[in-house]
Amino acid sequence: MKRIAVDMDEVVADVLPKFLTLFETINGHRPVEDDYRGRKLYQLPGGENLREALYHKGFFADLPLIPGAQEGIQTLLDQGNEIFFVTAAQEFRNSLEDKYDWLLQYFPSISWRNFVFCGDKSIISADYLIDDHAFNLRTFSGKGLLFTAPHNLHETEFTRVNDWPEVLAFFEQENQANGANR
């Protein structure tokens, strides 16, 4: 059994549509992906106040799922893996209840005991970490998988997975390689 730590935002919960709508509300226009390729929306001119929304109660409560996330997590569970959701929620204290409730709603087969709300993911002890931020993967002691998001498109340091079918394909290859080594 593998222990797989899974980040929440931009891996299973899609923050980008909410930020795009907020950007448009504030600035009167919606940026196109080329505008924010390789950076966060709040790094764009006019996006400076977007990050403030992360501190508001309710911001994380109604985020849409990343396509394939529920099915991908269930497949990994069905294959006998142990799944932990790991999110650096401590910076945004109002996000804790929202994120907890969101996880219970969309991933009811994962026990609350497998929800890790932390500030520093280097404390996580797992075989794998799937995250959209390379800085979290740099301090992780297991194998890091970089989940593609517009802000990390220029990162080349880690194994990249573009979507949940690629996550499942990665673990299928890992299982085959480990089976061949027995």
Side-chain angles (χ1 to χ4, degrees):
M1 172 171 30
K2 294 178 194 79
R3 179 176 281 184
I4 303 170
V6 180
D7 179 35
M8 210 175 144
D9 302 325
E10 297 304 320
V11 177
V12 295
D14 199 351
V15 179
L16 186 59
K18 196 162 196 174
F19 267 143
L20 286 168
T21 299
L22 188 56
F23 189 99
E24 185 173 20
T25 300
I26 293 169
N27 296 293
H29 72 281
R30 183 178 287 249
V32 296
E33 190 171 336
D34 282 347
D35 294 338
Y36 54 89
R37 184 179 307 275
R39 56 190 176 157
K40 295 280 195 170
L41 281 174
Y42 51 77
Q43 295 172 316
L44 295 178
E48 301 83 1
N49 296 326
L50 289 181
R51 194 164 160 72
E52 178 63 31
L54 297 172
Y55 294 92
H56 294 201
K57 178 102 177 91
F59 180 85
F60 293 93
D62 60 353
L63 298 176
L65 280 158
I66 295 283
Q70 280 179 313
E71 300 84 357
I73 292 294
Q74 190 58 53
T75 298
L76 292 173
L77 284 170
D78 292 346
Q79 293 172 348
N81 298 295
E82 189 176 21
I83 303 296
F84 284 84
F85 286 110
V86 179
T87 184
Q90 304 304 76
E91 181 180 359
F92 312 108
R93 73 181 219 133
N94 287 321
S95 76
L96 296 170
E97 185 177 1
D98 291 343
K99 287 183 173 208
Y100 181 87
D101 291 344
W102 191 94
L103 287 168
L104 288 176
Q105 176 184 349
Y106 289 108
F107 297 96
S109 61
I110 306 284
S111 168
W112 61 268
R113 294 174 190 261
N114 291 44
F115 301 169
V116 181
F117 298 97
C118 61
D120 181 353
K121 293 183 186 176
S122 69
I123 66 157
I124 301 305
S125 176
D127 300 304
Y128 300 90
L129 171 61
I130 305 169
D131 203 299
D132 64 306
H133 284 290
F135 65 82
N136 288 322
L137 300 175
R138 284 185 194 106
T139 60
F140 177 64
S141 61
K143 168 85 172 161
L145 300 177
L146 184 66
F147 198 91
T148 296
H151 65 85
N152 70 27
L153 293 176
H154 302 303
E155 294 285 346
T156 59
E157 190 175 344
F158 297 96
T159 300
R160 180 178 292 278
V161 287
N162 291 304
D163 52 29
W164 275 95
E166 284 192 20
V167 170
L168 295 176
F170 170 85
F171 283 107
E172 182 62 33
Q173 289 176 342
E174 289 286 294
N175 289 338
Q176 289 174 358
N178 289 335
N181 292 334
R182 289 183 186 164

